[in-house]
Every structure is written in C-alpha cells, then in structure tokens.
Amino acid sequence: MKTERYDMIVIGAGPAGLSAAIEAARQGVRPIVFDENARPGGQLFKQIHKFFGSKEHRAKVRGLKIGEELLAEAEEYGVEVVLDAAVIGLYPEKEITVKIDDTVRHYKGDTILVATGAAENMVHFKGWTLPGVIGAGAAQTMMNLHHIQPGKRIFMLGSGNVGLVVGFQLLQAGCEVVGLADAAPRVGGYGVHAAKIARCGVPFYLSHTVIEAVGTEYVTGVTIGQVGPDMRVIPGTEKYFDADTICLAVGLSPMSQLLKQAGCAMEDTKGGPVPLCAAAGKTSIPGIYAAGDVSGIEEASSAMIKGRMSGAAIAAYLGYTDEKVQEERIFELGQQLGTLRQGMFSPENRGKLITKTDEGIGVSMHLLEHGSVADDEIARYPGVTRQAGIHPVIECTQNIPCNPCQDACPKGCIRIGERITSLPAVDAAKECVGCGMCVASCSGQAIFLIQEDVDPGVGEVTIPYEFLPLPRAGDTGTALGRDGRPVCTAKVAKVRSSPAFDHTNLLTLKVPNDMLMKVRFYQTQKGGMGL
C-alpha cells in the first residue's frame, strides 16, 4: 500500500491546527491538514460573539470572521486541507492512518501536529438520555451553522464562559431561557457575559444542579435542586420548570486518544489526560507536537497562538528556519499568550474566590452569586462616572484580558494602561462626542452612553443591542435593570447601525434622569427581544 509523505501532518482543522499549518507554511514547510468534519475552522464558525484580548488577539472581531480570515490565509500559503477525513491511527514513527470515504490510507510525516480539540462533557441525572437533553456545543451548531432553534423553552446548566455565551446566543435566536444553574456557588465565567444574560431577565440558580429531566418520550420539563458543600441535593429545595430542552455546558475534555496511542507521555488532569508538552507543544516523542485544547482547555484566541508557536517550532525542527529566528518568533508569540493568561481568570486563579481586583476594589459578590452587579455596588468601579454632557459608563468590574475600548475612542476618553487586564477608566478631562464606537467595540457589551437633561428631567442612555427585529425611533417599551427587572417605561429616541459597529446596534432610550444609571436593557411592549 502506497504511503504518501509530507513535511508536516496536522490532525484537526480548527483554530490551533490551521494556525500551526499557516505559520509553518510561511517558512516554506509543506503541510497537509486532515479533519473529520465537512468544513474547516472547528469551533470558530459557531462563535458569533466578539473576541476578547487586544488587536494581536483579534479583539472585537467575531469568531466566524476570524475563521474566514484563517481559511483565506491558509489558501494564500498553499496549505492543503482534506475534509471528511477521520484519522484513526497515530504511530510513534510519525505515520497515520486516515479513513476517507470507504478506504483507509497511510500517510507519513516528518512531523505530526495533533490539534484534535476537546469534546463536551455530560452529566448523568434521571432522564438524561431523553431527546431534548443536548450539549451547549450542539446548540451552537444548530443555531449558528444550521439556523435552527434547539428548542423554545431552554434550561441551561453551567455558568462558565461556554454556558454564558451560548445562553445569550439562545436568547438572540429567539429562544426563552427559563433559568441558568450551576452546582458551584459562584458564576464561573466572565462577569460581563453573565450580566448580558441577567439583564435580559434570565434567573441564575447557583449551588443548584439538575435532578431530573421530566418527560416520557422527550423533555417536557426539568427539576433542579440546591446542593450543599458535599454536592448532594438538599431535600425540599426542588424547583420545577416547564422546558423542552436542557442544555449542558459542564466542561470539556481534551481529545487526546491519538497522542496516547502514539506512546506520548501523558498526565492526568481534572479535564482528562493531556500530553506532557515542553515549549511550543513538543511532546515526549521527537517530531510529534500538540496544540490547542488537546494540550489543555483554553479560549480559541489562546489555541491560535499555541498553534502558531508549534508551527514555528516545527519549521525550525525541519530546518526551514534557524534557531535564532525560531526563538524570536516563539518569544513574541509567548508574550501574546501571556497577556491572555493574566488577571482574575489566569490559570493559577482557577477555582479560587478572588475578592479584590488588581486595583484593590472589592469584587461584586452579587455578580458572582446572581449574575448582575447590584445598584449599590456599581459606583465603586473606575469606569462608572457621572458628569455633564454625554459620556461613557463602563461596567467592566473584573480583571479580564481585553482592551479594544481604549483604542475605539477617537477622543481618548477611555484609558486602560499598559496592563491589558486593568479596569478601564473614564478620563473626565476629555470630551466625549457620543460616536458610540466604544459601546459597539466592547466584547462584553459593558459600555453605555449617558446624557442627562436632554429634555427637562429626562435623559438618554445608549445601550448595545444585538436582537431582531430592531425597535424603531418613537417606539415605547419597558426598560430593564441590571437584574432584568422592569425599572421604568422607555421611549426609543434613535437606533444606530453601521458597518463600523459590526452588527452591534446602538439603541438610545429616553428615560427619567434618575433611571439613567439603572436602565441597561430594553424590551418591546410585546416582550419581544429575539430573532
């Protein structure tokens, strides 16, 4: 049987695999990429939200756009991508077997990069096999790739970034999210993601888990219960919800089976076995590398950087670049990766309760326990100011790696500083012109524009709005607070949409002056807010 040979074989055409292949191909390496799916890009094309980070990390750019850019770059550098190709074997001699159609083919690589990503975890409860119990990734696929609602009334389990992001996207797709639970006592993901859902009226149930998926042939409801420190359900705390779908976002496990099969040294983690990797993804077997979630679960931005680091290392390993060039490139990429691993959500802080920000400001306990910052807590943060004229109010309350708002303001009203995780502050000495670029650029939708006394006793608040159908100027509806509860009636003053806003519309609402610091969402009179 003929064995085809390549400089570099990449297993997985997701963000890490494509990035590695591109980086190596730029140096003259001849890579081939195999993926079992019908289209390349991995999870990127399901990620319709804007990314965090800085310019180098493609901050404020939506994941699907980043996927399109990666594919174009791969084509530019002649990266060969083979789809519907399942790699079923990886051997220490850097040979793989691939099932394409009904045949098994053999390929030999001078180097192998494994970028197979991760699989969704499941939890077992009564009725967990009923139709209607799905993973968050499956829900994303249905909504964002196939434009199908996963259900009408959905209960979400999991408050990490995946659960929060998918929960918001379910709302955007016109689904009703009847509740969000997590067995942990605190929200696990970014507070700005939780705040987006809370102000839409979704209740959070921390220290709760699913007891039962109710139904005979399919899900018709869900029963949850409160758990104690021992993670056992406390009798008498059961709560029932009508629901046709239970969405699970309970973590990911690296798909590291091929690396284990090849004989790479592995280590056990809470998320499952991962390969022991040195710098740039080198495994214990010379010439075999790992990048992306298969080597440890992180965000897609980190996966792309780790992929490029592996690609640079492989180019040097194969002799296409010298050691000095490789070291400089990997150092540059390592600095970019390091910025994403700073702040309250850094790897060393996982699972810890952080009570103060880097600036010494108390973290909102209401946010951690209920999904929203309390009205009496919000004023403590440097981005929250009251001043004459129109000005931004930045409700970013955690040290997360993100700074596009600083560059978005043409007048320099917003400053973050050298550290990407610093809380943004408003420079009162600079004049805001109300362009709204900061509101549209914020990946966490945490920036608002405030102006008092537009009319006697009435001001305007401008909020980010990513729902359809769009309200129209002159419409009257209900203004909701940070916790999703109605606070007053609001009249739509104007709606702004622009290509520069990248599908984040700006909704300006007229409300009483004393409501300007409370109003954070708008609901039409009919209660609509979805696709």
Side-chain angles (χ1 to χ4, degrees):
M1 182 179 293
K2 180 182 177 181
T3 300
E4 298 182 55
R5 191 179 192 96
Y6 285 83
D7 293 340
M8 174 186 185
I9 293 174
V10 179
I11 306 173
L18 285 176
S19 296
I22 291 165
E23 186 71 25
R26 287 173 57 189
Q27 308 301 328
V29 176
R30 178 175 169 249
I32 185 171
V33 183
F34 294 100
D35 196 285
E36 64 182 356
N37 296 298
R39 64 180 297 181
Q43 303 300 311
L44 286 173
F45 287 96
K46 299 194 292 187
Q47 296 178 342
I48 63 173
H49 57 283
K50 294 178 179 179
F51 274 35
F52 290 79
S54 65
K55 287 181 178 179
E56 293 79 9
H57 310 121
R58 312 296 290 123
K60 76 176 183 179
V61 180
R62 298 185 188 276
L64 60 94
K65 179 64 175 177
I66 296 173
E68 292 171 355
E69 294 172 354
L70 269 182
L71 294 182
E73 195 176 2
E75 184 177 359
E76 176 186 353
Y77 287 103
V79 175
E80 183 180 354
V81 179
V82 182
L83 301 173
D84 293 315
V87 176
I88 57 177
L90 169 62
Y91 307 96
E93 298 79 14
K94 296 186 286 296
E95 184 175 352
I96 65 170
T97 50
V98 187
K99 186 176 184 297
I100 303 175
D101 296 327
D102 293 325
T103 62
V104 175
R105 305 181 189 181
H106 290 246
Y107 295 85
K108 185 86 171 180
D110 293 323
T111 56
I112 301 280
L113 173 77
V114 178
T116 43
E120 290 191 280
N121 294 337
M122 293 294 290
V123 290
H124 295 181
F125 45 80
K126 185 177 179 181
W128 74 280
T129 59
L130 280 173
V133 179
I134 63 174
Q140 268 195 318
T141 299
M142 294 173 72
M143 291 186 295
N144 302 338
L145 295 184
H146 303 300
H147 310 294
I148 298 170
Q149 285 183 327
K152 296 295 184 182
R153 290 175 56 84
I154 300 178
F155 194 93
M156 174 67 72
L157 179 64
S159 71
N161 278 337
V162 173
L164 299 175
V165 167
V166 175
F168 188 71
Q169 291 174 4
L170 287 165
L171 294 172
Q172 290 177 303
C175 307
E176 180 183 359
V177 179
V178 297
L180 186 150
D182 198 308
R186 297 177 294 275
V187 170
Y190 291 171
V192 288
H193 284 321
K196 288 190 303 183
I197 298 178
R199 64 179 175 246
C200 291
V202 177
F204 281 64
Y205 298 92
L206 283 305
S207 295
H208 281 73
T209 192
V210 172
I211 299 173
E212 178 183 3
V214 179
T216 52
E217 297 182 358
Y218 48 82
V219 172
T220 58
V222 57
T223 300
I224 68 171
Q226 185 177 351
V227 298
D230 59 358
M231 289 294 123
R232 294 181 181 274
V233 175
I234 301 172
T237 63
E238 296 83 1
K239 301 173 184 68
Y240 173 81
F241 301 84
D242 287 325
D244 55 32
T245 305
I246 302 171
C247 194
L248 305 179
V250 291
L252 303 168
S253 294
M255 297 179 66
S256 57
Q257 297 90 335
L258 289 173
L259 290 159
K260 185 176 181 181
Q261 179 190 4
C264 297
M266 309 289 288
E267 63 175 334
D268 287 326
T269 67
K270 290 183 179 179
V274 297
L276 279 169
C277 291
K282 297 178 183 178
T283 70
S284 60
I285 298 178
I288 296 183
Y289 295 74
D293 281 349
V294 73
S295 60
I297 307 299
E298 291 190 84
E299 301 292 330
S301 298
S302 298
M304 288 185 282
I305 296 173
K306 290 197 291 186
R308 290 192 181 271
M309 292 174 72
S310 293
I314 286 171
Y317 178 85
L318 295 172
Y320 285 89
T321 59
D322 61 39
E323 188 172 332
K324 183 179 180 181
V325 171
Q326 174 210 15
E327 289 177 353
E328 290 176 350
R329 179 60 173 155
I330 290 179
F331 178 77
E332 173 194 355
L333 292 165
Q335 285 190 310
Q336 293 181 23
L337 185 61
T339 62
L340 291 178
R341 292 173 170 172
Q342 296 176 16
M344 299 166 67
F345 292 87
S346 62
E348 61 267 25
N349 285 333
R350 284 178 184 164
K352 296 180 181 178
L353 173 60
I354 307 298
T355 59
K356 288 190 178 295
T357 69
D358 292 346
E359 296 81 4
I361 302 170
V363 170
S364 166
M365 290 298 109
H366 197 274
L367 172 67
L368 296 182
E369 295 169 2
H370 302 283
S372 62
V373 180
D375 289 345
D376 61 358
E377 294 175 322
I378 196 65
R380 69 176 67 153
Y381 300 101
V384 180
T385 62
R386 296 293 294 270
Q387 60 194 69
I390 192 167
H391 62 279
V393 170
I394 309 173
E395 299 190 353
C396 189
T397 65
Q398 295 176 323
N399 299 119
I400 57 178
C402 195
N403 68 358
C405 59
Q406 181 173 251
D407 296 327
C409 181
K411 297 297 183 179
C413 295
I414 300 172
R415 64 178 186 273
I416 290 179
E418 296 181 2
R419 194 172 174 85
I420 192 175
T421 54
S422 297
L423 294 179
V426 176
D427 189 342
K430 302 292 177 65
E431 181 184 3
C432 173
V433 295
C435 67
M437 287 302 300
C438 59
V439 179
S441 71
C442 179
S443 303
Q445 297 188 21
I447 302 181
F448 311 88
L449 295 180
I450 301 293
Q451 185 173 15
E452 294 186 14
D453 292 321
V454 174
D455 295 322
V458 175
E460 290 184 345
V461 54
T462 298
I463 66 173
Y465 196 82
E466 292 188 355
F467 295 90
L468 293 175
L470 282 176
R472 294 179 295 180
D475 287 355
T476 299
T478 303
L480 306 182
R482 296 179 185 87
D483 59 3
R485 296 177 182 176
V487 292
C488 65
T489 298
K491 184 175 183 179
V492 179
K494 56 185 172 183
V495 180
R496 284 184 280 172
S497 302
S498 167
F501 297 163
D502 189 16
H503 299 91
T504 299
N505 307 288
L506 306 188
L507 201 62
T508 300
L509 308 173
K510 282 192 172 185
V511 299
N513 281 337
D514 60 356
M515 291 291 107
L516 289 173
M517 293 301 292
K518 295 178 180 292
V519 171
R520 291 299 176 262
F521 196 65
Y522 175 81
Q523 194 171 56
T524 65
Q525 288 181 326
K526 295 180 180 180
M529 58 171 191
L531 294 172

